[in-house]
Amino acid sequence: MIYSQQGFVHEQSRGYVWPEEENVLEKLDNWQDLKFGVLFHWGLYSVPGIVESWSICSEDEEWIPRDSTVSYEEYKRWYRGLKDQFNPVDFDPVQWSDVMEKAGMKYAIFTTKHHDGFNMFDTKESDFSIAKGPFKNHPKADVAKFVFEAFRQKEFMVGAYFSKPDWHSQYYWWDYFATPTRNVNYKIDRHPERWENFKQFTFNQLQELMTLYGDIDILWLDGGWVAPPRQDIDMDRIVAMARTSQPDLLVVDRTIRGKYENYQTPERSVPTEQLPYPWESCIPLSSDWGWIPNATFKTPAEVIAMLIEVTAKGGNLLLGVGPTPEGIIQPEVETILGEIGDWLKINGRGIYNTRITPDYHSGNVWFTAAKDGKTIYAHYVPDNGKEIPSVIEWEGNIPGKGSKVTLLHTNKPVKWMVDGNKTRIVLPVIKNHTNLPLVFSFETL
């Protein structure tokens, strides 16, 4: 399943290396129980409602929009000048956490710094920060701190998104040269001291996040082109520091196969097949990660169908939501997420704390299994715009003889029969149903 794309999309890394630390493996297993999380992109790009960061990258790509009436350098100055306008006086992280809790989400990742280098936390390493502009005197000026606290209060796992490239830092995009691509714009072997400064700058910022912002469960590192051998930032040193303060930290060095990619992150897509290791599809609710005006959003039915497919294939779904420039979750998004949460209140048993089962897909039906393997959940996903038929059938995962098949929507047993390798379910009349997926639980043979 691949969704419409806007912006750079990370490809999925090939292969997986399991962590060796027992506490990290335990945390990873707990994370796999959660299934549904939120990723917040919020920054300078939210002020005009444009694609995050990428418009200041001078690569000639269709998805990198920029005002063609001004020069690149003029545009970059305009974009960076948005720091003097970003004043989200309605910022309400408790509202964020209330909305996401009602949506049935269980973990939250917040963008502390995107590629543009604008910091959404009170870093001592740069003045290019929400805490240094017109918002500086607000009691919640150290934005990341209050986002993390609001979600911890709801017992969410919390994660810090952090961009490894920094297009504002003179140690990465040096003004002495032009900035032709997303990469460092000087030759590291000719200017090794400048790269060492960048490595230390990155280390220092991550040290701030890992030591001054409470318990962090996930370090979600973006910008996979910053990696050995060409752009080595010494991940061994960074992770050793981070896990001194956060011993069971999950590190997600996106697309960099190895011991620091604790789970994979296919972007805007769902793998074609079931995967036997930890992964997460990150997909925005609209076409963009951040807030844009007049956005078209995925429907509750579309998100629930994604969540079911992702879960049946062994992953988690990380849904991208962009808070408004004023600092709240807009009503349209709250309504959509609320409907998803209402469905999960009834059917969440088939999603949370489940694992894969070998026969995981049959027609419109996807299967998940309880962690002990004793209970199977069959998720019927109706075709778009079509009524749910009175008889639902699937192949494989046959209920055990005499087993009770329960429709979670009513929490009552339904009539069923077996014909060869097919199970047929006869649906009763269902009151107050909105054509969203139906979930059945049963024990197999």
Side-chain angles (χ1 to χ4, degrees):
M1 184 180 292
I2 299 177
Y3 299 90
S4 61
Q5 301 178 11
Q6 181 169 337
F8 175 68
V9 177
H10 273 296
E11 294 184 0
Q12 185 179 342
S13 52
R14 297 187 177 186
Y16 178 77
V17 177
W18 286 93
E20 296 179 354
E21 302 87 348
E22 287 298 324
N23 57 336
V24 175
L25 285 167
E26 183 179 351
K27 179 65 140 309
L28 195 54
D29 187 63
N30 293 337
W31 172 82
Q32 287 183 285
D33 289 341
L34 305 181
K35 301 305 180 191
F36 192 26
V38 60
L39 171 59
F40 296 111
H41 276 73
W42 196 44
L44 289 186
Y45 43 84
S46 305
V47 178
I50 58 177
V51 64
E52 68 290 338
S53 295
W54 284 99
S55 64
I56 63 168
C57 179
S58 64
E59 296 175 12
D60 186 8
E61 298 285 355
E62 183 180 355
W63 50 266
I64 300 180
R66 190 163 51 245
D67 183 352
S68 62
T69 66
V70 298
S71 72
Y72 171 62
E73 289 301 327
E74 286 177 296
Y75 183 87
K76 203 158 51 171
R77 280 194 295 272
W78 169 82
Y79 181 93
R80 289 173 174 172
L82 293 170
K83 66 180 175 55
D84 298 322
Q85 301 177 40
F86 193 17
N87 189 23
V89 292
D90 296 328
F91 171 51
D92 188 355
V94 173
Q95 186 243 0
W96 298 16
S97 64
D98 285 344
V99 170
M100 303 310 151
E101 182 183 44
K102 290 174 184 174
M105 293 167 169
K106 302 295 183 182
Y107 67 106
I109 294 175
F110 177 68
T111 299
T112 63
K113 182 179 75 169
H114 206 263
H115 311 326
D116 60 13
F118 188 75
N119 298 278
M120 297 299 290
F121 68 109
D122 190 11
T123 177
K124 302 301 183 287
E125 299 295 313
S126 171
D127 288 337
F128 197 49
S129 161
I130 184 71
K132 302 295 194 302
F135 198 58
K136 65 183 178 183
N137 294 322
H138 193 281
K140 295 186 176 71
D142 194 352
V143 163
K145 173 184 176 183
F146 292 94
V147 172
F148 293 147
E149 284 183 357
F151 281 92
R152 286 193 204 102
Q153 288 292 319
K154 298 284 198 299
E155 298 185 346
F156 276 53
M157 276 194 190
V158 299
Y161 170 116
F162 183 88
S163 169
K164 293 184 293 183
D166 186 315
W167 296 338
H168 186 265
S169 170
Q170 287 294 302
Y171 301 138
Y172 195 80
W173 272 7
W174 185 12
D175 283 348
Y176 184 70
F177 294 111
T179 52
T181 69
R182 70 196 66 181
N183 293 287
V184 59
N185 72 334
Y186 57 88
K187 292 181 178 178
I188 293 173
D189 57 353
R190 291 193 62 210
H191 305 280
E193 72 293 336
R194 186 164 289 269
W195 186 252
E196 287 302 315
N197 285 336
F198 180 69
K199 286 167 62 176
Q200 190 62 47
F201 165 76
T202 303
F203 180 92
N204 291 348
Q205 285 205 309
L206 287 169
Q207 188 172 49
E208 289 174 325
L209 288 168
M210 294 297 106
T211 60
L212 302 177
Y213 287 82
D215 291 339
I216 302 293
D217 299 290
I218 303 164
L219 176 58
W220 211 87
L221 298 171
D222 202 7
W225 60 93
V226 177
R230 182 166 176 243
Q231 300 183 49
D232 187 351
I233 57 171
D234 196 351
M235 282 297 298
D236 285 342
R237 180 178 178 234
I238 287 170
V239 175
M241 170 276 294
R243 285 187 174 153
T244 298
S245 298
Q246 314 285 348
D248 57 355
L249 181 74
L250 299 182
V251 179
V252 185
D253 192 9
R254 299 187 66 203
T255 74
I256 312 301
R257 178 186 179 273
K259 58 184 177 180
Y260 301 134
E261 191 186 31
N262 293 161
Y263 62 79
Q264 290 189 349
T265 56
E267 185 173 340
R268 294 181 183 260
S269 65
V270 178
T272 56
E273 297 179 347
Q274 196 178 67
L275 300 176
Y277 47 75
W279 59 275
E280 161 194 88
S281 277
C282 44
I283 298 173
L285 182 60
S286 74
S287 60
D288 288 68
W289 293 105
W291 176 86
I292 58 171
N294 305 312
T296 299
F297 298 105
K298 296 173 180 65
T299 65
E302 288 173 322
V303 175
I304 291 167
M306 280 195 298
L307 179 59
I308 288 170
E309 180 180 349
V310 165
T311 304
K313 290 179 176 178
N316 286 14
L317 175 62
L318 186 66
L319 192 67
V321 174
T324 68
E326 296 76 25
I328 61 169
I329 306 302
Q330 65 197 91
E332 301 95 319
V333 170
E334 187 171 357
T335 298
I336 293 167
L337 296 181
E339 291 185 35
I340 296 166
D342 289 342
W343 184 88
L344 280 165
K345 285 175 187 173
I346 296 169
N347 299 286
R349 278 179 285 166
I351 299 291
Y352 306 123
N353 305 301
T354 60
R355 292 296 183 269
I356 58 176
T357 183
D359 292 327
Y360 67 94
H361 186 212
S362 174
N364 284 48
V365 180
W366 298 88
F367 299 96
T368 61
K371 286 182 80 171
D372 62 10
K374 294 180 180 178
T375 303
I376 296 292
Y377 297 95
H379 304 253
Y380 177 82
V381 180
D383 291 325
N384 285 338
K386 292 189 177 179
E387 293 280 328
I388 295 178
S390 58
V391 176
I392 290 172
E393 63 181 32
W394 64 76
E395 294 184 357
N397 289 314
I398 296 173
K401 189 174 181 180
S403 175
K404 182 171 65 173
V405 177
T406 300
L407 173 61
L408 299 192
H409 184 80
T410 60
N411 204 31
K412 292 180 179 179
V414 294
K415 293 180 181 178
W416 63 278
M417 62 201 75
V418 174
D419 181 5
N421 192 37
K422 285 188 177 180
T423 300
R424 288 194 174 95
I425 302 292
V426 180
L427 284 182
V429 176
I430 304 172
K431 295 180 180 179
N432 303 319
H433 187 251
T434 55
N435 222 43
L436 293 176
L438 295 174
V439 185
F440 306 88
S441 67
F442 56 91
E443 294 183 2
T444 57
L445 288 170

PDB file of all heavy atoms in Angstrom, residues 12 63 82 84 98 115 147 155 177 184 187 196 270 283 310 360 371 412 436 442:
ATOM      1  N   GLN A  12      13.014   2.003   2.758  1.00  0.00           N
ATOM      2  CA  GLN A  12      13.201   1.083   3.873  1.00  0.00           C
ATOM      3  C   GLN A  12      14.577   0.424   3.768  1.00  0.00           C
ATOM      4  O   GLN A  12      15.005   0.043   2.687  1.00  0.00           O
ATOM      5  CB  GLN A  12      12.104   0.023   3.826  1.00  0.00           C
ATOM      6  CG  GLN A  12      12.080  -0.935   4.992  1.00  0.00           C
ATOM      7  CD  GLN A  12      10.928  -1.912   4.845  1.00  0.00           C
ATOM      8  OE1 GLN A  12       9.996  -1.670   4.082  1.00  0.00           O
ATOM      9  NE2 GLN A  12      10.990  -3.013   5.566  1.00  0.00           N
ATOM     10  N   TRP A  63       8.641  18.101  -5.957  1.00  0.00           N
ATOM     11  CA  TRP A  63       7.985  18.203  -4.663  1.00  0.00           C
ATOM     12  C   TRP A  63       8.630  19.238  -3.739  1.00  0.00           C
ATOM     13  O   TRP A  63       8.230  19.375  -2.586  1.00  0.00           O
ATOM     14  CB  TRP A  63       7.947  16.839  -3.977  1.00  0.00           C
ATOM     15  CG  TRP A  63       9.273  16.129  -3.920  1.00  0.00           C
ATOM     16  CD1 TRP A  63       9.736  15.202  -4.817  1.00  0.00           C
ATOM     17  CD2 TRP A  63      10.297  16.290  -2.947  1.00  0.00           C
ATOM     18  NE1 TRP A  63      10.983  14.782  -4.454  1.00  0.00           N
ATOM     19  CE2 TRP A  63      11.357  15.423  -3.303  1.00  0.00           C
ATOM     20  CE3 TRP A  63      10.433  17.065  -1.795  1.00  0.00           C
ATOM     21  CZ2 TRP A  63      12.529  15.321  -2.565  1.00  0.00           C
ATOM     22  CZ3 TRP A  63      11.603  16.964  -1.046  1.00  0.00           C
ATOM     23  CH2 TRP A  63      12.623  16.101  -1.440  1.00  0.00           C
ATOM     24  N   LEU A  82      11.011  33.700   9.238  1.00  0.00           N
ATOM     25  CA  LEU A  82       9.762  33.288   9.872  1.00  0.00           C
ATOM     26  C   LEU A  82       9.912  33.110  11.376  1.00  0.00           C
ATOM     27  O   LEU A  82       8.920  33.107  12.107  1.00  0.00           O
ATOM     28  CB  LEU A  82       9.256  31.983   9.242  1.00  0.00           C
ATOM     29  CG  LEU A  82       8.800  32.075   7.780  1.00  0.00           C
ATOM     30  CD1 LEU A  82       8.551  30.683   7.221  1.00  0.00           C
ATOM     31  CD2 LEU A  82       7.540  32.933   7.653  1.00  0.00           C
ATOM     32  N   ASP A  84      10.775  35.239  13.367  1.00  0.00           N
ATOM     33  CA  ASP A  84      10.285  36.455  14.020  1.00  0.00           C
ATOM     34  C   ASP A  84       8.762  36.550  14.002  1.00  0.00           C
ATOM     35  O   ASP A  84       8.195  37.457  14.618  1.00  0.00           O
ATOM     36  CB  ASP A  84      10.881  37.690  13.338  1.00  0.00           C
ATOM     37  CG  ASP A  84      12.403  37.725  13.451  1.00  0.00           C
ATOM     38  OD1 ASP A  84      12.931  37.338  14.508  1.00  0.00           O
ATOM     39  OD2 ASP A  84      13.068  38.119  12.454  1.00  0.00           O
ATOM     40  N   ASP A  98      -4.798  15.095  25.079  1.00  0.00           N
ATOM     41  CA  ASP A  98      -6.193  14.659  25.232  1.00  0.00           C
ATOM     42  C   ASP A  98      -6.731  14.094  23.920  1.00  0.00           C
ATOM     43  O   ASP A  98      -7.366  13.031  23.905  1.00  0.00           O
ATOM     44  CB  ASP A  98      -7.076  15.840  25.664  1.00  0.00           C
ATOM     45  CG  ASP A  98      -6.905  16.227  27.117  1.00  0.00           C
ATOM     46  OD1 ASP A  98      -6.337  15.422  27.890  1.00  0.00           O
ATOM     47  OD2 ASP A  98      -7.342  17.339  27.485  1.00  0.00           O
ATOM     48  N   HIS A 115      15.167  19.499   9.405  1.00  0.00           N
ATOM     49  CA  HIS A 115      16.384  19.743   8.633  1.00  0.00           C
ATOM     50  C   HIS A 115      16.742  21.228   8.546  1.00  0.00           C
ATOM     51  O   HIS A 115      17.929  21.573   8.404  1.00  0.00           O
ATOM     52  CB  HIS A 115      16.242  19.182   7.212  1.00  0.00           C
ATOM     53  CG  HIS A 115      15.751  17.777   7.146  1.00  0.00           C
ATOM     54  ND1 HIS A 115      16.061  16.819   8.100  1.00  0.00           N
ATOM     55  CD2 HIS A 115      14.957  17.153   6.226  1.00  0.00           C
ATOM     56  CE1 HIS A 115      15.475  15.681   7.771  1.00  0.00           C
ATOM     57  NE2 HIS A 115      14.808  15.853   6.647  1.00  0.00           N
ATOM     58  N   VAL A 147       5.518  19.375  25.764  1.00  0.00           N
ATOM     59  CA  VAL A 147       4.913  18.293  24.976  1.00  0.00           C
ATOM     60  C   VAL A 147       5.221  16.952  25.623  1.00  0.00           C
ATOM     61  O   VAL A 147       4.325  16.126  25.852  1.00  0.00           O
ATOM     62  CB  VAL A 147       5.415  18.322  23.517  1.00  0.00           C
ATOM     63  CG1 VAL A 147       4.933  17.084  22.764  1.00  0.00           C
ATOM     64  CG2 VAL A 147       4.941  19.585  22.814  1.00  0.00           C
ATOM     65  N   GLU A 155       0.688   8.524  30.264  1.00  0.00           N
ATOM     66  CA  GLU A 155       1.388   7.228  30.236  1.00  0.00           C
ATOM     67  C   GLU A 155       1.705   6.773  28.812  1.00  0.00           C
ATOM     68  O   GLU A 155       1.742   5.578  28.521  1.00  0.00           O
ATOM     69  CB  GLU A 155       0.597   6.164  31.002  1.00  0.00           C
ATOM     70  CG  GLU A 155       0.432   6.519  32.480  1.00  0.00           C
ATOM     71  CD  GLU A 155      -0.234   5.413  33.273  1.00  0.00           C
ATOM     72  OE1 GLU A 155      -0.807   4.486  32.658  1.00  0.00           O
ATOM     73  OE2 GLU A 155      -0.172   5.484  34.511  1.00  0.00           O
ATOM     74  N   PHE A 177      30.408  28.524   0.922  1.00  0.00           N
ATOM     75  CA  PHE A 177      30.057  27.837  -0.319  1.00  0.00           C
ATOM     76  C   PHE A 177      28.552  27.924  -0.555  1.00  0.00           C
ATOM     77  O   PHE A 177      27.776  28.217   0.367  1.00  0.00           O
ATOM     78  CB  PHE A 177      30.463  26.362  -0.258  1.00  0.00           C
ATOM     79  CG  PHE A 177      31.948  26.129  -0.192  1.00  0.00           C
ATOM     80  CD1 PHE A 177      32.534  25.640   0.968  1.00  0.00           C
ATOM     81  CD2 PHE A 177      32.757  26.390  -1.289  1.00  0.00           C
ATOM     82  CE1 PHE A 177      33.900  25.418   1.030  1.00  0.00           C
ATOM     83  CE2 PHE A 177      34.124  26.168  -1.235  1.00  0.00           C
ATOM     84  CZ  PHE A 177      34.702  25.682  -0.071  1.00  0.00           C
ATOM     85  N   VAL A 184      26.127  18.051   3.349  1.00  0.00           N
ATOM     86  CA  VAL A 184      27.138  19.003   3.781  1.00  0.00           C
ATOM     87  C   VAL A 184      27.754  19.639   2.538  1.00  0.00           C
ATOM     88  O   VAL A 184      27.990  18.965   1.538  1.00  0.00           O
ATOM     89  CB  VAL A 184      28.200  18.299   4.667  1.00  0.00           C
ATOM     90  CG1 VAL A 184      28.888  17.173   3.918  1.00  0.00           C
ATOM     91  CG2 VAL A 184      29.211  19.281   5.202  1.00  0.00           C
ATOM     92  N   LYS A 187      33.980  19.895   1.476  1.00  0.00           N
ATOM     93  CA  LYS A 187      34.659  18.600   1.512  1.00  0.00           C
ATOM     94  C   LYS A 187      35.218  18.367   2.906  1.00  0.00           C
ATOM     95  O   LYS A 187      36.089  19.108   3.382  1.00  0.00           O
ATOM     96  CB  LYS A 187      35.784  18.566   0.478  1.00  0.00           C
ATOM     97  CG  LYS A 187      35.286  18.594  -0.960  1.00  0.00           C
ATOM     98  CD  LYS A 187      36.438  18.526  -1.950  1.00  0.00           C
ATOM     99  CE  LYS A 187      35.925  18.502  -3.386  1.00  0.00           C
ATOM    100  NZ  LYS A 187      37.042  18.482  -4.371  1.00  0.00           N
ATOM    101  N   GLU A 196      34.410  18.204  12.623  1.00  0.00           N
ATOM    102  CA  GLU A 196      34.510  17.859  14.049  1.00  0.00           C
ATOM    103  C   GLU A 196      33.637  18.792  14.887  1.00  0.00           C
ATOM    104  O   GLU A 196      33.018  18.369  15.855  1.00  0.00           O
ATOM    105  CB  GLU A 196      35.965  17.920  14.516  1.00  0.00           C
ATOM    106  CG  GLU A 196      36.826  16.773  14.019  1.00  0.00           C
ATOM    107  CD  GLU A 196      36.296  15.404  14.443  1.00  0.00           C
ATOM    108  OE1 GLU A 196      35.919  15.263  15.632  1.00  0.00           O
ATOM    109  OE2 GLU A 196      36.248  14.492  13.594  1.00  0.00           O
ATOM    110  N   VAL A 270       3.188   0.878   3.334  1.00  0.00           N
ATOM    111  CA  VAL A 270       3.097  -0.331   4.154  1.00  0.00           C
ATOM    112  C   VAL A 270       3.818  -1.436   3.394  1.00  0.00           C
ATOM    113  O   VAL A 270       3.600  -1.604   2.188  1.00  0.00           O
ATOM    114  CB  VAL A 270       1.625  -0.727   4.401  1.00  0.00           C
ATOM    115  CG1 VAL A 270       1.542  -2.018   5.209  1.00  0.00           C
ATOM    116  CG2 VAL A 270       0.882   0.406   5.123  1.00  0.00           C
ATOM    117  N   ILE A 283       3.050   7.586   8.293  1.00  0.00           N
ATOM    118  CA  ILE A 283       2.173   8.069   7.235  1.00  0.00           C
ATOM    119  C   ILE A 283       1.410   9.283   7.754  1.00  0.00           C
ATOM    120  O   ILE A 283       0.815   9.227   8.832  1.00  0.00           O
ATOM    121  CB  ILE A 283       1.183   6.960   6.801  1.00  0.00           C
ATOM    122  CG1 ILE A 283       1.944   5.747   6.233  1.00  0.00           C
ATOM    123  CG2 ILE A 283       0.173   7.487   5.787  1.00  0.00           C
ATOM    124  CD1 ILE A 283       1.080   4.543   5.939  1.00  0.00           C
ATOM    125  N   VAL A 310      -1.318  -2.862   8.822  1.00  0.00           N
ATOM    126  CA  VAL A 310       0.005  -2.738   9.439  1.00  0.00           C
ATOM    127  C   VAL A 310       0.153  -3.728  10.585  1.00  0.00           C
ATOM    128  O   VAL A 310       1.175  -4.427  10.713  1.00  0.00           O
ATOM    129  CB  VAL A 310       0.230  -1.288   9.917  1.00  0.00           C
ATOM    130  CG1 VAL A 310       1.417  -1.207  10.870  1.00  0.00           C
ATOM    131  CG2 VAL A 310       0.449  -0.360   8.733  1.00  0.00           C
ATOM    132  N   TYR A 360      -2.213 -14.523   7.545  1.00  0.00           N
ATOM    133  CA  TYR A 360      -2.575 -13.191   8.042  1.00  0.00           C
ATOM    134  C   TYR A 360      -3.509 -12.409   7.127  1.00  0.00           C
ATOM    135  O   TYR A 360      -3.935 -11.315   7.479  1.00  0.00           O
ATOM    136  CB  TYR A 360      -1.306 -12.365   8.308  1.00  0.00           C
ATOM    137  CG  TYR A 360      -0.495 -12.003   7.078  1.00  0.00           C
ATOM    138  CD1 TYR A 360      -0.686 -10.782   6.425  1.00  0.00           C
ATOM    139  CD2 TYR A 360       0.468 -12.868   6.569  1.00  0.00           C
ATOM    140  CE1 TYR A 360       0.062 -10.447   5.305  1.00  0.00           C
ATOM    141  CE2 TYR A 360       1.222 -12.541   5.457  1.00  0.00           C
ATOM    142  CZ  TYR A 360       1.010 -11.330   4.826  1.00  0.00           C
ATOM    143  OH  TYR A 360       1.747 -10.998   3.717  1.00  0.00           O
ATOM    144  N   LYS A 371      -0.893 -12.409  22.129  1.00  0.00           N
ATOM    145  CA  LYS A 371       0.528 -12.731  22.341  1.00  0.00           C
ATOM    146  C   LYS A 371       0.736 -14.183  22.741  1.00  0.00           C
ATOM    147  O   LYS A 371       1.769 -14.767  22.427  1.00  0.00           O
ATOM    148  CB  LYS A 371       1.122 -11.796  23.395  1.00  0.00           C
ATOM    149  CG  LYS A 371       1.357 -10.388  22.883  1.00  0.00           C
ATOM    150  CD  LYS A 371       1.995  -9.492  23.913  1.00  0.00           C
ATOM    151  CE  LYS A 371       3.495  -9.702  24.016  1.00  0.00           C
ATOM    152  NZ  LYS A 371       4.141  -8.668  24.863  1.00  0.00           N
ATOM    153  N   LYS A 412     -21.047 -10.298  21.348  1.00  0.00           N
ATOM    154  CA  LYS A 412     -21.927 -11.462  21.385  1.00  0.00           C
ATOM    155  C   LYS A 412     -21.484 -12.462  20.317  1.00  0.00           C
ATOM    156  O   LYS A 412     -20.909 -12.072  19.295  1.00  0.00           O
ATOM    157  CB  LYS A 412     -23.378 -11.051  21.128  1.00  0.00           C
ATOM    158  CG  LYS A 412     -23.974 -10.206  22.254  1.00  0.00           C
ATOM    159  CD  LYS A 412     -25.416  -9.825  21.935  1.00  0.00           C
ATOM    160  CE  LYS A 412     -26.022  -8.995  23.062  1.00  0.00           C
ATOM    161  NZ  LYS A 412     -27.419  -8.588  22.756  1.00  0.00           N
ATOM    162  N   LEU A 436     -17.694   0.702   9.370  1.00  0.00           N
ATOM    163  CA  LEU A 436     -16.275   0.553   9.677  1.00  0.00           C
ATOM    164  C   LEU A 436     -15.961  -0.932   9.835  1.00  0.00           C
ATOM    165  O   LEU A 436     -16.869  -1.766   9.964  1.00  0.00           O
ATOM    166  CB  LEU A 436     -15.936   1.326  10.948  1.00  0.00           C
ATOM    167  CG  LEU A 436     -16.053   2.849  10.850  1.00  0.00           C
ATOM    168  CD1 LEU A 436     -15.777   3.493  12.203  1.00  0.00           C
ATOM    169  CD2 LEU A 436     -15.127   3.416   9.785  1.00  0.00           C
ATOM    170  N   PHE A 442     -11.802 -15.585  18.163  1.00  0.00           N
ATOM    171  CA  PHE A 442     -12.100 -17.015  18.307  1.00  0.00           C
ATOM    172  C   PHE A 442     -10.792 -17.765  18.589  1.00  0.00           C
ATOM    173  O   PHE A 442      -9.689 -17.223  18.407  1.00  0.00           O
ATOM    174  CB  PHE A 442     -12.755 -17.570  17.043  1.00  0.00           C
ATOM    175  CG  PHE A 442     -11.963 -17.352  15.783  1.00  0.00           C
ATOM    176  CD1 PHE A 442     -11.045 -18.294  15.320  1.00  0.00           C
ATOM    177  CD2 PHE A 442     -12.124 -16.181  15.042  1.00  0.00           C
ATOM    178  CE1 PHE A 442     -10.319 -18.089  14.161  1.00  0.00           C
ATOM    179  CE2 PHE A 442     -11.407 -15.974  13.865  1.00  0.00           C
ATOM    180  CZ  PHE A 442     -10.493 -16.922  13.432  1.00  0.00           C
TER     181      PHE A 442
END
